[in-house]
């Protein structure tokens, strides 16, 4: 019997790459019948549909394609309750995402279908991007590029008051020491930066042994030349970067966020930049996304703003496809999954 697989990709993690990985890693399970689907993301935005979030594609179309498949591997396709109802033979779903919000996990569990996902899939890319934002905003890369694009050769950025610090001579404060925060620390230490970390959920000795220094939030804000957010979004951290937070930051310091837009009170950040209390900001995430085109934050010369690009690298795309198909192979071989969104759907014994 053949193994029927739906490979649902887009212009980032492609259906062809998913299919190629299936050919390489799943051939041992018999003849493969590969069905491909390509959404129009990122040229068309993702959205919320039929109980799932951040999805790209028509769930009705996916449900038709999923009929009689054994495996679904996907990036953004909406794997809704209707899809699970249609896919009566479905054994496993592989999601290339760090959080499979485009998959109805409750429906998957009810159908007895485990969902593999990839936490930390883009941690290296996101960490590099954070450091890139630090350099871009402190050294006028964004402002200088915009000036040239508008036909201006702006030597003014050699004025002492407009120059910025070198990373290697900065104290950089990181809020959050998860996988990305830890990798940012390693990169910054290679520059020679002094790294301060606030994370009440991580043992201070772990931070200190990595070459950084664990500090209280008030010390970090008052001391750091650059403050970068790497906290998880929770009810506790939502809006944590507010007017009080920015007022406590060192005058003339810089703010970086490529974690979650909801961590920041955008109007409070705008006010802190407008007043001159903060020297600049590097932002890859917003609340809402996209931000209004006429938002004053986007027009500020010392703000580098990008459209949620931190995870967009060729390595992330290819490695995600390779890894998620590897997880499907592991499940078909042993009945286990390294990272399963619904462990109760896993078989009790290996298959």
């Amino acid at each position: 019997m053949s193994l029927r697989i739906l490979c649902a990709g887009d212009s980032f993690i492609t259906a062809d790459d998913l299919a190629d990985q299936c050919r390489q890693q799943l051939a041992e399970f018999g003849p493969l019948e590969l069905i491909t689907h390509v959404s129009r993301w990122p040229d068309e935005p993702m959205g919320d549909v039929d109980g799932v979030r951040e999805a790209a594609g028509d769930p009705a179309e996916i449900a038709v394609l999923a009929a009689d498949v054994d495996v679904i591997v996907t990036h953004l396709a909406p794997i809704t309750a209707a899809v699970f109802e249609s896919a009566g033979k479905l054994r496993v779903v592989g999601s290339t995402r760090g959080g499979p919000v485009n998959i109805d996990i409750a429906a998957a569990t009810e159908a007895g279908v485990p969902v593999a996902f990839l936490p930390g899939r883009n941690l290296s890319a996101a960490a590099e991007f954070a450091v890139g934002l630090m350099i871009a905003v402190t050294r006028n890369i964004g402002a200088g590029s915009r000036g040239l694009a508008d036909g201006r050769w702006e030597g003014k950025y050699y004025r002492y008051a407009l120059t910025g610090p070198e990373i290697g001579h900065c104290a950089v404060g990181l809020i959050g020491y998860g996988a990305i925060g830890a990798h940012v620390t390693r990169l910054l230490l290679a520059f020679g930066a002094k790294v301060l970390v606030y994370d009440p959920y991580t043992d201070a000795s772990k931070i200190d042994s990595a070459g950084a220094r664990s500090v209280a939030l008030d010390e970090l804000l008052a001391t750091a030349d650059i403050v970068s957010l790497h906290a998880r979004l929770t009810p506790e951290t939502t809006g944590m970067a507010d007017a009080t937070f920015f007022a406590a930051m060192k005058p003339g310091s810089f703010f970086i966020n490529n974690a979650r837009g909801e961590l920041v009170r955008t109007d409070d950040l705008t006010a802190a930049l407008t007043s001159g209390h903060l020297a600049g900001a590097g932002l890859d995430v917003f609340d809402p996304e996209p931000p209004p085109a006429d938002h004053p934050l986007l027009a500020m010369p010392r703000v580098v703003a990008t459209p949620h690009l931190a995870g967009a690298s060729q390595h992330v795309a290819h490695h995600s496809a390779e890894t998620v198909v590897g997880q499907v192979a592991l499940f078909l071989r042993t009945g286990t999954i390294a990272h399963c969104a619904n462990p109760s759907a896993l078989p009790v014994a290996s298959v």
Side-chain angles (χ1 to χ4, degrees), residues 271-338:
L273 289 162
T274 301
S275 71
H277 179 67
L278 297 187
L283 308 169
D284 185 50
V285 289
F286 302 87
D287 181 26
E289 289 188 351
D294 61 349
H295 197 287
L297 188 68
L298 304 180
M300 294 180 177
R302 224 47 196 272
V303 171
V304 174
T306 51
H308 208 141
L309 296 179
S313 78
Q314 292 179 348
H315 177 77
V316 168
H318 179 70
H319 183 66
S320 296
E322 180 181 41
T323 304
V324 79
V325 175
Q327 288 301 301
V328 169
L330 177 66
F331 173 76
L332 295 176
R333 196 177 297 125
T334 69
T336 62
I337 291 173

Side-chain angles (χ1 to χ4, degrees), residues 20-303:
D20 286 344
Q21 289 299 324
C22 288
R23 293 186 190 97
Q24 294 177 40
Q25 299 190 59
L26 303 182
E28 67 182 90
F29 302 105
L32 304 181
E33 185 176 348
L34 300 173
I35 305 164
T36 58
H37 175 271
V38 182
S39 80
R40 287 183 285 274
W41 186 85
D43 299 311
E44 293 183 2
M46 65 178 74
D48 302 347
V49 60
D50 293 356
V52 299
R53 297 172 45 222
E54 298 178 9
D58 181 354
E61 184 179 358
I62 299 297
V64 171
L65 294 173
D68 296 325
V69 302
D70 302 285
V71 176
I72 297 175
V73 285
T74 185
H75 181 210
L76 296 177
I79 311 302
T80 64
V83 173
F84 286 106
E85 290 174 8
S86 172
K89 292 173 53 183
L90 187 60
R91 299 169 63 184
V92 61
V93 174
S95 168
T96 61
R97 304 187 69 178
V101 294
N102 56 306
I103 299 171
D104 190 326
I105 300 301
T109 304
E110 185 176 350
V113 178
V115 177
F117 71 112
L118 305 181
R121 66 164 186 162
N122 62 2
L123 75 89
S124 178
E128 289 183 7
F129 203 91
V131 176
L133 284 175
M134 294 177 196
I135 297 172
V137 71
T138 57
R139 301 296 301 282
N140 289 306
I141 292 174
S145 177
R146 285 195 296 269
L148 275 177
D150 292 338
R152 302 189 307 274
W153 181 271
E154 296 184 297
K156 70 179 183 180
Y157 291 116
Y158 257 96
R159 293 177 183 170
Y160 181 84
L162 294 180
T163 59
E166 298 173 20
I167 299 296
H169 295 281
C170 284
V172 183
L174 307 182
I175 298 177
Y177 196 75
I180 294 174
H183 196 62
V184 172
T185 296
R186 291 190 288 270
L187 296 176
L188 290 171
L189 291 173
F191 277 87
K194 175 183 178 181
V195 182
L196 310 175
V197 176
Y198 168 71
D199 190 330
Y201 304 103
T202 299
D203 191 289
S205 63
K206 179 180 178 181
I207 295 169
D208 296 341
S209 65
R213 186 162 69 89
S214 177
V215 297
L217 180 60
D218 57 354
E219 180 181 350
L220 183 150
L221 296 177
T223 306
D225 301 295
I226 303 168
V227 173
S228 186
L229 293 186
H230 302 283
R232 294 182 181 275
L233 181 64
T234 67
E236 180 184 5
T237 61
T238 297
M240 66 178 298
D242 58 9
T244 301
F245 178 103
F246 294 122
M249 285 178 62
K250 181 179 177 180
S253 59
F254 298 85
F255 177 74
I256 307 295
N257 183 25
N258 68 336
R260 285 285 184 262
E262 294 90 341
L263 296 171
V264 180
R265 301 293 185 195
T266 304
D267 290 344
D268 292 344
L269 173 59
T270 303
L273 289 162
T274 301
S275 71
H277 179 67
L278 297 187
L283 308 169
D284 185 50
V285 289
F286 302 87
D287 181 26
E289 289 188 351
D294 61 349
H295 197 287
L297 188 68
L298 304 180
M300 294 180 177
R302 224 47 196 272
V303 171

